[in-house]
Amino acid sequence: MEQRFEAYLDHLCDSLGHVDRHEGLRGYCQGLMLPLARKSVEPLAAGIDPHAVRARHQSLHHFVAKSDWSDEGLLERVRAWVEPALLREGGTERYWIIDDTGFPKKGKHSVGVARQYCGQLGKRDNCQIAVSLTLATERASLPVAWRLYLPEDWAADTARRTRAGVPEGVGFQTKPTIALEQVKAALAAGIARGAVLADAGYGNDTGFRDGLTALGLVYAVGVQGATTVWPEGKAPLPPKPWKGVGRKPRLLRRDAEHRPVSVKALALGLPASAYRTVTWRQGSNTALSGRFAAVRVRAAHRDQQRTAMRDEEWLLIEWPEGQREPEKYVLSTLPADTSLERLVAVTRMRWRIERDYQELKQEFGLAHYEGRGWRGFHHHASLCIAAYGFLVAERLRHPDTQKNAALRPPSALPQEYVPRGRSAALRHQANSITTLRWLIAQRLASRLDRCPCCGRKNSEQMNV
């Protein structure tokens, strides 16, 4: 595996544009593969070069925080390595999973940090948010696009933007807008198409759903219970009859008897027989199943401003047994003849992105970057995805590969090494301990008539 990893790093280096950056990529990715407790720049430097930590830390910091190489170019090389195995070994179905993940932060200087909802914490708090697009199959998945969400106050603050190195062309965009741009870029890059999956944070945005349809992509996206639809057999009224004077009416209409309903009201009005228990996959301990219903509907958002009705699509409803009301709602443009079991299975494939985020954070230090700048934030994430990509490819080729197998054991740190940021007292204490160890070793060696440095007998030294 180590030889394949070296070949993989050679493959990635082609995206960097300058040979001086190769050593930085190699060192950073090698450090990310080590079983270190923390994977910010200094622990990586200590793990791969313990006898020259300061120099290696400086070079790695420059590579990740300052060096001007393309994140998109690196991720494209990662995908080029992993995608063939993903498509060959992962099954016939393809999925594009859109999601975002949060990084809790203290202070206000890290790029994009703001008080906003953080999924990791389950509440609003100070954090950064990044949006990603993942290519997935039933067996594996790989993030292929990554972008920091920049809140409006950050986008409008010239001073903070300048300090954090936010590119001039980057302005405020909603998360669905960022995701739609990532989808367009993936199509332009020729990535194997798949059904687009996303939660209600994206599915609630009608423009996002319409954008996916305009690009020829099918989707299965979450929506909130207040989303309005036209049930099967109902529709908005046609335009008003033309009276022969003025412009001919073209917009659809509603009245007191022709109004859409919320998906929650529709779900509550369905008969009990409409719901069935469906098992979608085998979990680690038991089969995963739930209670679902699916009906055909038309989305009703602002259809009074439209000249034609939207196409029918699926509304999938999940209502767990024993709960007072449904739990989740999904709109999907999968074909009209799609079975309930298939609808559920496709929708539930979103679990793969949760596993990606978990492993990227726990195994590859995605959340460990300590810099504040735009470039470093994205470079660190791209390198974490690069290291993760190699592991994904190895799992596909060798299913028995351990999820956190290291290529080599971490190097032993010198006993006198003290991480930066320790107080002077601790540094002095560490130096004192080192000196004490040497004195003890010297005392023991003298008793044994041996040199404390080389271990040879003093009599042997005299004869040299």
Side-chain angles (χ1 to χ4, degrees):
M1 183 167 66
E2 190 164 351
Q3 290 182 346
R4 286 194 300 274
F5 186 59
E6 291 299 325
Y8 177 65
L9 295 180
D10 289 339
H11 172 78
L12 298 184
C13 283
D14 291 342
S15 70
L16 298 181
H18 200 289
V19 68
D20 289 348
R21 299 167 183 161
H22 292 188
E23 186 60 28
L25 181 142
R26 290 180 178 279
Y28 212 94
C29 287
Q30 288 168 354
L32 291 172
M33 298 296 287
L34 296 177
L36 304 174
R38 185 162 183 83
K39 295 184 178 179
S40 55
V41 178
E42 187 178 8
L44 294 181
I48 62 175
D49 200 350
H51 295 283
V53 178
R54 301 292 178 256
R56 180 58 74 120
H57 174 266
Q58 185 176 13
S59 65
L60 288 182
H61 178 265
H62 181 271
F63 174 71
V64 74
K66 306 294 183 182
S67 187
D68 185 15
W69 47 269
S70 168
D71 294 288
E72 293 79 11
L74 178 62
L75 293 180
E76 192 282 329
R77 296 297 288 176
V78 175
R79 179 180 62 82
W81 182 280
V82 180
E83 187 177 16
L86 191 65
L87 301 183
R88 183 178 62 251
E89 308 292 343
T92 58
E93 300 298 333
R94 315 280 186 264
Y95 307 94
W96 286 9
I97 309 175
I98 293 167
D99 206 349
D100 53 72
T101 188
F103 302 89
K105 290 284 183 180
K106 297 186 182 299
K108 60 181 181 179
H109 300 295
S110 295
V111 62
V113 70
R115 188 169 181 81
Q116 52 196 328
Y117 181 78
C118 179
Q120 180 176 328
L121 301 176
K123 62 179 182 179
R124 286 178 60 85
D125 209 334
N126 223 42
C127 66
Q128 297 166 298
I129 302 289
V131 179
S132 68
L133 171 63
T134 292
L135 172 62
T137 65
E138 292 183 359
R139 284 195 55 196
S141 50
L142 176 75
V144 295
W146 178 268
R147 162 73 190 279
L148 178 70
Y149 166 71
L150 198 66
E152 285 187 82
D153 59 339
W154 260 92
D157 191 330
T158 303
R160 282 206 295 178
R161 288 174 61 100
T162 301
R163 286 194 296 270
V166 178
E168 290 186 4
V170 176
F172 171 72
Q173 291 180 305
T174 65
K175 296 170 192 173
T177 301
I178 294 172
L180 201 55
E181 284 194 355
Q182 292 176 335
V183 167
K184 291 176 181 177
L187 289 172
I191 298 177
R193 290 183 173 226
V196 178
L197 312 180
D199 64 18
Y202 299 86
N204 283 334
D205 190 313
T206 304
F208 174 73
R209 301 198 310 269
D210 289 346
L212 294 176
T213 300
L215 294 171
L217 295 168
V218 299
Y219 60 73
V221 296
V223 293
Q224 291 179 333
T227 302
T228 56
V229 295
W230 295 98
E232 191 170 17
K234 294 186 178 182
L237 293 171
K240 292 181 179 180
W242 184 46
K243 297 180 179 179
V245 179
R247 292 184 179 180
K248 190 173 183 178
R250 300 173 60 242
L251 300 180
L252 302 174
R253 296 178 296 133
R254 302 176 183 177
D255 63 18
E257 296 181 357
H258 292 81
R259 302 194 66 82
V261 299
S262 70
V263 295
K264 180 179 178 179
L266 177 57
L268 292 172
L270 292 176
S273 59
Y275 292 88
R276 290 196 287 115
T277 299
V278 175
T279 299
W280 61 87
R281 70 180 175 88
Q282 183 66 37
S284 56
N285 296 321
T286 185
L288 303 179
S289 62
R291 186 168 169 260
F292 298 88
V295 293
R296 300 290 285 172
V297 299
R298 297 180 193 270
H301 181 69
R302 294 183 180 176
D303 52 10
Q304 314 98 307
Q305 301 174 13
R306 295 175 58 88
T307 59
M309 294 185 295
R310 289 186 173 88
D311 292 335
E312 280 192 340
E313 56 188 310
W314 286 107
L315 170 63
L316 179 66
I317 306 156
E318 181 178 4
W319 191 342
E321 194 75 43
Q323 290 194 10
R324 296 181 58 185
E325 61 183 44
E327 183 176 76
K328 293 180 181 178
Y329 309 91
V330 172
L331 287 176
S332 175
T333 54
L334 287 170
D337 61 353
T338 304
S339 67
L340 178 61
E341 289 76 12
R342 173 68 181 151
L343 279 171
V344 173
V346 170
T347 302
R348 286 293 178 166
M349 277 302 299
R350 282 194 62 252
W351 73 274
R352 294 221 61 96
I353 189 61
E354 300 301 331
R355 173 170 175 171
D356 285 341
Y357 286 155
Q358 180 183 32
E359 292 192 338
L360 281 165
K361 289 182 177 182
Q362 294 182 358
E363 305 291 339
F364 294 93
L366 180 64
H368 294 172
Y369 184 66
E370 296 173 350
R372 295 174 174 177
W374 175 276
R375 179 174 289 171
F377 178 87
H378 288 87
H379 278 2
H380 175 76
S382 298
L383 292 162
C384 289
I385 293 170
Y388 181 57
F390 178 75
L391 185 60
V392 170
E394 289 299 299
R395 285 179 184 165
L396 288 166
R397 294 185 178 97
H398 308 285
D400 57 342
T401 301
Q402 295 181 8
K403 77 170 189 176
N404 57 350
L407 295 178
R408 56 181 67 84
S411 304
L413 295 177
Q415 292 178 341
E416 67 273 15
Y417 169 68
V418 179
R420 291 186 321 128
R422 294 286 186 89
S423 67
L426 286 176
R427 286 179 178 274
H428 176 72
Q429 180 183 11
N431 291 334
S432 299
I433 291 173
T434 301
T435 303
L436 180 61
R437 284 173 177 159
W438 191 88
L439 290 173
I440 292 174
Q442 186 180 47
R443 180 68 57 84
L444 291 174
S446 64
R447 289 182 181 179
L448 297 173
D449 193 33
R450 291 181 179 274
C451 171
C453 299
C454 63
R456 286 185 294 185
K457 290 184 177 181
N458 291 332
S459 58
E460 294 177 357
Q461 290 231 341
M462 293 296 292
N463 296 330
V464 174

PDB file of all heavy atoms in Angstrom, residues 112-144:
ATOM      1  N   GLY A 112     -15.219  33.811   7.902  1.00  0.00           N
ATOM      2  CA  GLY A 112     -16.583  33.296   7.806  1.00  0.00           C
ATOM      3  C   GLY A 112     -17.236  32.946   9.119  1.00  0.00           C
ATOM      4  O   GLY A 112     -18.380  32.472   9.126  1.00  0.00           O
ATOM      5  N   VAL A 113     -16.563  33.151  10.247  1.00  0.00           N
ATOM      6  CA  VAL A 113     -17.153  32.747  11.520  1.00  0.00           C
ATOM      7  C   VAL A 113     -18.290  33.699  11.889  1.00  0.00           C
ATOM      8  O   VAL A 113     -18.202  34.906  11.688  1.00  0.00           O
ATOM      9  CB  VAL A 113     -16.081  32.703  12.636  1.00  0.00           C
ATOM     10  CG1 VAL A 113     -15.593  34.090  13.008  1.00  0.00           C
ATOM     11  CG2 VAL A 113     -16.599  31.974  13.863  1.00  0.00           C
ATOM     12  N   ALA A 114     -19.369  33.138  12.380  1.00  0.00           N
ATOM     13  CA  ALA A 114     -20.533  33.932  12.775  1.00  0.00           C
ATOM     14  C   ALA A 114     -21.418  33.072  13.659  1.00  0.00           C
ATOM     15  O   ALA A 114     -21.256  31.846  13.731  1.00  0.00           O
ATOM     16  CB  ALA A 114     -21.317  34.414  11.555  1.00  0.00           C
ATOM     17  N   ARG A 115     -22.344  33.721  14.321  1.00  0.00           N
ATOM     18  CA  ARG A 115     -23.314  32.981  15.123  1.00  0.00           C
ATOM     19  C   ARG A 115     -24.391  32.462  14.180  1.00  0.00           C
ATOM     20  O   ARG A 115     -25.180  33.227  13.619  1.00  0.00           O
ATOM     21  CB  ARG A 115     -23.928  33.876  16.202  1.00  0.00           C
ATOM     22  CG  ARG A 115     -24.793  33.097  17.183  1.00  0.00           C
ATOM     23  CD  ARG A 115     -25.181  33.935  18.395  1.00  0.00           C
ATOM     24  NE  ARG A 115     -25.985  33.161  19.318  1.00  0.00           N
ATOM     25  CZ  ARG A 115     -25.516  32.296  20.207  1.00  0.00           C
ATOM     26  NH1 ARG A 115     -24.217  32.101  20.291  1.00  0.00           N
ATOM     27  NH2 ARG A 115     -26.313  31.625  21.019  1.00  0.00           N
ATOM     28  N   GLN A 116     -24.435  31.169  13.978  1.00  0.00           N
ATOM     29  CA  GLN A 116     -25.352  30.539  13.036  1.00  0.00           C
ATOM     30  C   GLN A 116     -25.586  29.096  13.470  1.00  0.00           C
ATOM     31  O   GLN A 116     -24.894  28.597  14.359  1.00  0.00           O
ATOM     32  CB  GLN A 116     -24.775  30.594  11.614  1.00  0.00           C
ATOM     33  CG  GLN A 116     -23.361  30.061  11.509  1.00  0.00           C
ATOM     34  CD  GLN A 116     -22.668  30.462  10.227  1.00  0.00           C
ATOM     35  OE1 GLN A 116     -23.287  30.616   9.186  1.00  0.00           O
ATOM     36  NE2 GLN A 116     -21.345  30.630  10.275  1.00  0.00           N
ATOM     37  N   TYR A 117     -26.543  28.436  12.816  1.00  0.00           N
ATOM     38  CA  TYR A 117     -26.849  27.068  13.237  1.00  0.00           C
ATOM     39  C   TYR A 117     -25.679  26.149  12.908  1.00  0.00           C
ATOM     40  O   TYR A 117     -25.170  26.130  11.776  1.00  0.00           O
ATOM     41  CB  TYR A 117     -28.108  26.551  12.557  1.00  0.00           C
ATOM     42  CG  TYR A 117     -28.448  25.138  12.994  1.00  0.00           C
ATOM     43  CD1 TYR A 117     -29.056  24.890  14.218  1.00  0.00           C
ATOM     44  CD2 TYR A 117     -28.102  24.045  12.203  1.00  0.00           C
ATOM     45  CE1 TYR A 117     -29.333  23.601  14.642  1.00  0.00           C
ATOM     46  CE2 TYR A 117     -28.381  22.746  12.613  1.00  0.00           C
ATOM     47  CZ  TYR A 117     -28.996  22.530  13.835  1.00  0.00           C
ATOM     48  OH  TYR A 117     -29.262  21.243  14.247  1.00  0.00           O
ATOM     49  N   CYS A 118     -25.252  25.371  13.885  1.00  0.00           N
ATOM     50  CA  CYS A 118     -24.153  24.419  13.717  1.00  0.00           C
ATOM     51  C   CYS A 118     -24.679  23.012  13.959  1.00  0.00           C
ATOM     52  O   CYS A 118     -25.100  22.690  15.081  1.00  0.00           O
ATOM     53  CB  CYS A 118     -23.017  24.739  14.700  1.00  0.00           C
ATOM     54  SG  CYS A 118     -21.620  23.602  14.601  1.00  0.00           S
ATOM     55  N   GLY A 119     -24.696  22.185  12.928  1.00  0.00           N
ATOM     56  CA  GLY A 119     -25.217  20.828  13.054  1.00  0.00           C
ATOM     57  C   GLY A 119     -24.446  19.995  14.059  1.00  0.00           C
ATOM     58  O   GLY A 119     -25.021  19.145  14.738  1.00  0.00           O
ATOM     59  N   GLN A 120     -23.138  20.218  14.170  1.00  0.00           N
ATOM     60  CA  GLN A 120     -22.330  19.451  15.119  1.00  0.00           C
ATOM     61  C   GLN A 120     -22.779  19.696  16.552  1.00  0.00           C
ATOM     62  O   GLN A 120     -22.764  18.784  17.386  1.00  0.00           O
ATOM     63  CB  GLN A 120     -20.857  19.812  14.950  1.00  0.00           C
ATOM     64  CG  GLN A 120     -19.930  19.062  15.888  1.00  0.00           C
ATOM     65  CD  GLN A 120     -18.469  19.386  15.627  1.00  0.00           C
ATOM     66  OE1 GLN A 120     -18.068  19.648  14.505  1.00  0.00           O
ATOM     67  NE2 GLN A 120     -17.657  19.372  16.666  1.00  0.00           N
ATOM     68  N   LEU A 121     -23.195  20.945  16.839  1.00  0.00           N
ATOM     69  CA  LEU A 121     -23.642  21.292  18.177  1.00  0.00           C
ATOM     70  C   LEU A 121     -25.141  21.155  18.347  1.00  0.00           C
ATOM     71  O   LEU A 121     -25.646  21.104  19.475  1.00  0.00           O
ATOM     72  CB  LEU A 121     -23.225  22.736  18.508  1.00  0.00           C
ATOM     73  CG  LEU A 121     -21.725  23.031  18.445  1.00  0.00           C
ATOM     74  CD1 LEU A 121     -21.469  24.512  18.687  1.00  0.00           C
ATOM     75  CD2 LEU A 121     -20.958  22.179  19.449  1.00  0.00           C
ATOM     76  N   GLY A 122     -25.889  21.138  17.222  1.00  0.00           N
ATOM     77  CA  GLY A 122     -27.340  21.046  17.282  1.00  0.00           C
ATOM     78  C   GLY A 122     -28.011  22.327  17.739  1.00  0.00           C
ATOM     79  O   GLY A 122     -29.141  22.296  18.245  1.00  0.00           O
ATOM     80  N   LYS A 123     -27.347  23.467  17.563  1.00  0.00           N
ATOM     81  CA  LYS A 123     -27.916  24.755  17.984  1.00  0.00           C
ATOM     82  C   LYS A 123     -27.155  25.874  17.288  1.00  0.00           C
ATOM     83  O   LYS A 123     -26.135  25.657  16.622  1.00  0.00           O
ATOM     84  CB  LYS A 123     -27.801  24.919  19.497  1.00  0.00           C
ATOM     85  CG  LYS A 123     -26.357  24.927  19.996  1.00  0.00           C
ATOM     86  CD  LYS A 123     -26.272  25.121  21.493  1.00  0.00           C
ATOM     87  CE  LYS A 123     -24.814  25.167  21.968  1.00  0.00           C
ATOM     88  NZ  LYS A 123     -24.714  25.389  23.422  1.00  0.00           N
ATOM     89  N   ARG A 124     -27.666  27.113  17.449  1.00  0.00           N
ATOM     90  CA  ARG A 124     -26.956  28.273  16.942  1.00  0.00           C
ATOM     91  C   ARG A 124     -25.782  28.592  17.860  1.00  0.00           C
ATOM     92  O   ARG A 124     -25.926  28.653  19.085  1.00  0.00           O
ATOM     93  CB  ARG A 124     -27.896  29.486  16.864  1.00  0.00           C
ATOM     94  CG  ARG A 124     -28.892  29.419  15.732  1.00  0.00           C
ATOM     95  CD  ARG A 124     -29.816  30.626  15.761  1.00  0.00           C
ATOM     96  NE  ARG A 124     -29.075  31.877  15.618  1.00  0.00           N
ATOM     97  CZ  ARG A 124     -28.717  32.411  14.465  1.00  0.00           C
ATOM     98  NH1 ARG A 124     -29.029  31.802  13.322  1.00  0.00           N
ATOM     99  NH2 ARG A 124     -28.066  33.564  14.416  1.00  0.00           N
ATOM    100  N   ASP A 125     -24.624  28.799  17.244  1.00  0.00           N
ATOM    101  CA  ASP A 125     -23.439  29.141  18.023  1.00  0.00           C
ATOM    102  C   ASP A 125     -22.392  29.709  17.071  1.00  0.00           C
ATOM    103  O   ASP A 125     -22.572  29.723  15.862  1.00  0.00           O
ATOM    104  CB  ASP A 125     -22.886  27.911  18.753  1.00  0.00           C
ATOM    105  CG  ASP A 125     -22.178  28.281  20.055  1.00  0.00           C
ATOM    106  OD1 ASP A 125     -21.682  29.430  20.161  1.00  0.00           O
ATOM    107  OD2 ASP A 125     -22.128  27.435  20.964  1.00  0.00           O
ATOM    108  N   ASN A 126     -21.289  30.140  17.628  1.00  0.00           N
ATOM    109  CA  ASN A 126     -20.207  30.690  16.824  1.00  0.00           C
ATOM    110  C   ASN A 126     -19.545  29.562  16.037  1.00  0.00           C
ATOM    111  O   ASN A 126     -19.011  28.610  16.632  1.00  0.00           O
ATOM    112  CB  ASN A 126     -19.176  31.357  17.742  1.00  0.00           C
ATOM    113  CG  ASN A 126     -18.686  32.668  17.213  1.00  0.00           C
ATOM    114  OD1 ASN A 126     -19.472  33.458  16.709  1.00  0.00           O
ATOM    115  ND2 ASN A 126     -17.394  32.922  17.322  1.00  0.00           N
ATOM    116  N   CYS A 127     -19.543  29.661  14.715  1.00  0.00           N
ATOM    117  CA  CYS A 127     -18.973  28.580  13.923  1.00  0.00           C
ATOM    118  C   CYS A 127     -18.732  29.041  12.489  1.00  0.00           C
ATOM    119  O   CYS A 127     -19.187  30.099  12.056  1.00  0.00           O
ATOM    120  CB  CYS A 127     -19.891  27.360  13.926  1.00  0.00           C
ATOM    121  SG  CYS A 127     -21.475  27.618  13.093  1.00  0.00           S
ATOM    122  N   GLN A 128     -17.974  28.221  11.757  1.00  0.00           N
ATOM    123  CA  GLN A 128     -17.837  28.330  10.313  1.00  0.00           C
ATOM    124  C   GLN A 128     -18.677  27.232   9.678  1.00  0.00           C
ATOM    125  O   GLN A 128     -18.845  26.155  10.255  1.00  0.00           O
ATOM    126  CB  GLN A 128     -16.375  28.156   9.892  1.00  0.00           C
ATOM    127  CG  GLN A 128     -15.425  29.215  10.426  1.00  0.00           C
ATOM    128  CD  GLN A 128     -13.977  28.799  10.250  1.00  0.00           C
ATOM    129  OE1 GLN A 128     -13.532  27.788  10.795  1.00  0.00           O
ATOM    130  NE2 GLN A 128     -13.209  29.580   9.494  1.00  0.00           N
ATOM    131  N   ILE A 129     -19.185  27.484   8.454  1.00  0.00           N
ATOM    132  CA  ILE A 129     -19.978  26.501   7.727  1.00  0.00           C
ATOM    133  C   ILE A 129     -19.382  26.315   6.337  1.00  0.00           C
ATOM    134  O   ILE A 129     -19.055  27.293   5.662  1.00  0.00           O
ATOM    135  CB  ILE A 129     -21.454  26.954   7.584  1.00  0.00           C
ATOM    136  CG1 ILE A 129     -22.089  27.189   8.947  1.00  0.00           C
ATOM    137  CG2 ILE A 129     -22.250  25.917   6.786  1.00  0.00           C
ATOM    138  CD1 ILE A 129     -22.348  25.942   9.751  1.00  0.00           C
ATOM    139  N   ALA A 130     -19.232  25.073   5.917  1.00  0.00           N
ATOM    140  CA  ALA A 130     -18.762  24.785   4.565  1.00  0.00           C
ATOM    141  C   ALA A 130     -19.784  23.915   3.839  1.00  0.00           C
ATOM    142  O   ALA A 130     -20.379  23.009   4.435  1.00  0.00           O
ATOM    143  CB  ALA A 130     -17.409  24.077   4.598  1.00  0.00           C
ATOM    144  N   VAL A 131     -19.988  24.196   2.557  1.00  0.00           N
ATOM    145  CA  VAL A 131     -20.923  23.454   1.707  1.00  0.00           C
ATOM    146  C   VAL A 131     -20.114  22.498   0.828  1.00  0.00           C
ATOM    147  O   VAL A 131     -19.069  22.873   0.285  1.00  0.00           O
ATOM    148  CB  VAL A 131     -21.739  24.412   0.818  1.00  0.00           C
ATOM    149  CG1 VAL A 131     -22.689  23.640  -0.088  1.00  0.00           C
ATOM    150  CG2 VAL A 131     -22.509  25.403   1.682  1.00  0.00           C
ATOM    151  N   SER A 132     -20.601  21.270   0.681  1.00  0.00           N
ATOM    152  CA  SER A 132     -19.875  20.291  -0.126  1.00  0.00           C
ATOM    153  C   SER A 132     -20.816  19.537  -1.059  1.00  0.00           C
ATOM    154  O   SER A 132     -22.011  19.420  -0.809  1.00  0.00           O
ATOM    155  CB  SER A 132     -19.132  19.287   0.771  1.00  0.00           C
ATOM    156  OG  SER A 132     -20.053  18.468   1.466  1.00  0.00           O
ATOM    157  N   LEU A 133     -20.229  19.028  -2.127  1.00  0.00           N
ATOM    158  CA  LEU A 133     -20.912  18.123  -3.062  1.00  0.00           C
ATOM    159  C   LEU A 133     -20.137  16.818  -3.067  1.00  0.00           C
ATOM    160  O   LEU A 133     -18.907  16.816  -3.242  1.00  0.00           O
ATOM    161  CB  LEU A 133     -20.953  18.726  -4.462  1.00  0.00           C
ATOM    162  CG  LEU A 133     -21.435  17.797  -5.588  1.00  0.00           C
ATOM    163  CD1 LEU A 133     -22.879  17.375  -5.368  1.00  0.00           C
ATOM    164  CD2 LEU A 133     -21.270  18.454  -6.947  1.00  0.00           C
ATOM    165  N   THR A 134     -20.845  15.715  -2.878  1.00  0.00           N
ATOM    166  CA  THR A 134     -20.216  14.402  -2.765  1.00  0.00           C
ATOM    167  C   THR A 134     -20.743  13.462  -3.844  1.00  0.00           C
ATOM    168  O   THR A 134     -21.956  13.379  -4.063  1.00  0.00           O
ATOM    169  CB  THR A 134     -20.479  13.796  -1.377  1.00  0.00           C
ATOM    170  OG1 THR A 134     -19.773  14.551  -0.393  1.00  0.00           O
ATOM    171  CG2 THR A 134     -20.025  12.342  -1.295  1.00  0.00           C
ATOM    172  N   LEU A 135     -19.842  12.765  -4.502  1.00  0.00           N
ATOM    173  CA  LEU A 135     -20.202  11.692  -5.433  1.00  0.00           C
ATOM    174  C   LEU A 135     -20.257  10.400  -4.630  1.00  0.00           C
ATOM    175  O   LEU A 135     -19.298  10.046  -3.942  1.00  0.00           O
ATOM    176  CB  LEU A 135     -19.161  11.581  -6.548  1.00  0.00           C
ATOM    177  CG  LEU A 135     -19.283  10.389  -7.494  1.00  0.00           C
ATOM    178  CD1 LEU A 135     -20.606  10.419  -8.260  1.00  0.00           C
ATOM    179  CD2 LEU A 135     -18.104  10.344  -8.461  1.00  0.00           C
ATOM    180  N   ALA A 136     -21.394   9.688  -4.711  1.00  0.00           N
ATOM    181  CA  ALA A 136     -21.581   8.507  -3.862  1.00  0.00           C
ATOM    182  C   ALA A 136     -22.173   7.347  -4.641  1.00  0.00           C
ATOM    183  O   ALA A 136     -22.888   7.536  -5.635  1.00  0.00           O
ATOM    184  CB  ALA A 136     -22.486   8.844  -2.677  1.00  0.00           C
ATOM    185  N   THR A 137     -21.858   6.150  -4.180  1.00  0.00           N
ATOM    186  CA  THR A 137     -22.519   4.919  -4.603  1.00  0.00           C
ATOM    187  C   THR A 137     -22.942   4.189  -3.334  1.00  0.00           C
ATOM    188  O   THR A 137     -22.761   4.698  -2.231  1.00  0.00           O
ATOM    189  CB  THR A 137     -21.572   4.030  -5.437  1.00  0.00           C
ATOM    190  OG1 THR A 137     -20.489   3.586  -4.591  1.00  0.00           O
ATOM    191  CG2 THR A 137     -21.002   4.790  -6.627  1.00  0.00           C
ATOM    192  N   GLU A 138     -23.463   2.999  -3.481  1.00  0.00           N
ATOM    193  CA  GLU A 138     -23.887   2.251  -2.307  1.00  0.00           C
ATOM    194  C   GLU A 138     -22.703   1.830  -1.438  1.00  0.00           C
ATOM    195  O   GLU A 138     -22.862   1.602  -0.243  1.00  0.00           O
ATOM    196  CB  GLU A 138     -24.689   1.015  -2.738  1.00  0.00           C
ATOM    197  CG  GLU A 138     -26.033   1.364  -3.361  1.00  0.00           C
ATOM    198  CD  GLU A 138     -26.840   0.128  -3.706  1.00  0.00           C
ATOM    199  OE1 GLU A 138     -26.336  -0.988  -3.473  1.00  0.00           O
ATOM    200  OE2 GLU A 138     -27.967   0.271  -4.213  1.00  0.00           O
ATOM    201  N   ARG A 139     -21.510   1.755  -2.032  1.00  0.00           N
ATOM    202  CA  ARG A 139     -20.361   1.242  -1.285  1.00  0.00           C
ATOM    203  C   ARG A 139     -19.411   2.313  -0.785  1.00  0.00           C
ATOM    204  O   ARG A 139     -18.658   2.069   0.167  1.00  0.00           O
ATOM    205  CB  ARG A 139     -19.575   0.252  -2.156  1.00  0.00           C
ATOM    206  CG  ARG A 139     -20.219  -1.113  -2.307  1.00  0.00           C
ATOM    207  CD  ARG A 139     -19.219  -2.103  -2.847  1.00  0.00           C
ATOM    208  NE  ARG A 139     -18.010  -2.154  -2.022  1.00  0.00           N
ATOM    209  CZ  ARG A 139     -16.861  -2.698  -2.421  1.00  0.00           C
ATOM    210  NH1 ARG A 139     -16.763  -3.207  -3.629  1.00  0.00           N
ATOM    211  NH2 ARG A 139     -15.826  -2.704  -1.618  1.00  0.00           N
ATOM    212  N   ALA A 140     -19.392   3.458  -1.419  1.00  0.00           N
ATOM    213  CA  ALA A 140     -18.396   4.461  -1.034  1.00  0.00           C
ATOM    214  C   ALA A 140     -18.837   5.837  -1.501  1.00  0.00           C
ATOM    215  O   ALA A 140     -19.793   5.974  -2.269  1.00  0.00           O
ATOM    216  CB  ALA A 140     -17.027   4.110  -1.627  1.00  0.00           C
ATOM    217  N   SER A 141     -18.110   6.857  -1.047  1.00  0.00           N
ATOM    218  CA  SER A 141     -18.429   8.230  -1.424  1.00  0.00           C
ATOM    219  C   SER A 141     -17.191   9.093  -1.281  1.00  0.00           C
ATOM    220  O   SER A 141     -16.261   8.767  -0.532  1.00  0.00           O
ATOM    221  CB  SER A 141     -19.573   8.772  -0.553  1.00  0.00           C
ATOM    222  OG  SER A 141     -19.315   8.556   0.819  1.00  0.00           O
ATOM    223  N   LEU A 142     -17.186  10.220  -2.017  1.00  0.00           N
ATOM    224  CA  LEU A 142     -16.033  11.112  -2.012  1.00  0.00           C
ATOM    225  C   LEU A 142     -16.483  12.540  -2.261  1.00  0.00           C
ATOM    226  O   LEU A 142     -17.144  12.815  -3.271  1.00  0.00           O
ATOM    227  CB  LEU A 142     -15.029  10.715  -3.109  1.00  0.00           C
ATOM    228  CG  LEU A 142     -13.827  11.647  -3.263  1.00  0.00           C
ATOM    229  CD1 LEU A 142     -12.838  11.424  -2.120  1.00  0.00           C
ATOM    230  CD2 LEU A 142     -13.155  11.440  -4.608  1.00  0.00           C
ATOM    231  N   PRO A 143     -16.152  13.492  -1.372  1.00  0.00           N
ATOM    232  CA  PRO A 143     -16.439  14.897  -1.663  1.00  0.00           C
ATOM    233  C   PRO A 143     -15.657  15.356  -2.888  1.00  0.00           C
ATOM    234  O   PRO A 143     -14.448  15.111  -3.000  1.00  0.00           O
ATOM    235  CB  PRO A 143     -15.956  15.621  -0.403  1.00  0.00           C
ATOM    236  CG  PRO A 143     -15.992  14.570   0.678  1.00  0.00           C
ATOM    237  CD  PRO A 143     -15.612  13.298  -0.010  1.00  0.00           C
ATOM    238  N   VAL A 144     -16.339  16.022  -3.824  1.00  0.00           N
ATOM    239  CA  VAL A 144     -15.690  16.493  -5.048  1.00  0.00           C
ATOM    240  C   VAL A 144     -15.694  18.016  -5.148  1.00  0.00           C
ATOM    241  O   VAL A 144     -15.112  18.576  -6.078  1.00  0.00           O
ATOM    242  CB  VAL A 144     -16.357  15.882  -6.299  1.00  0.00           C
ATOM    243  CG1 VAL A 144     -16.156  14.365  -6.326  1.00  0.00           C
ATOM    244  CG2 VAL A 144     -17.849  16.226  -6.363  1.00  0.00           C
TER     245      VAL A 144
END
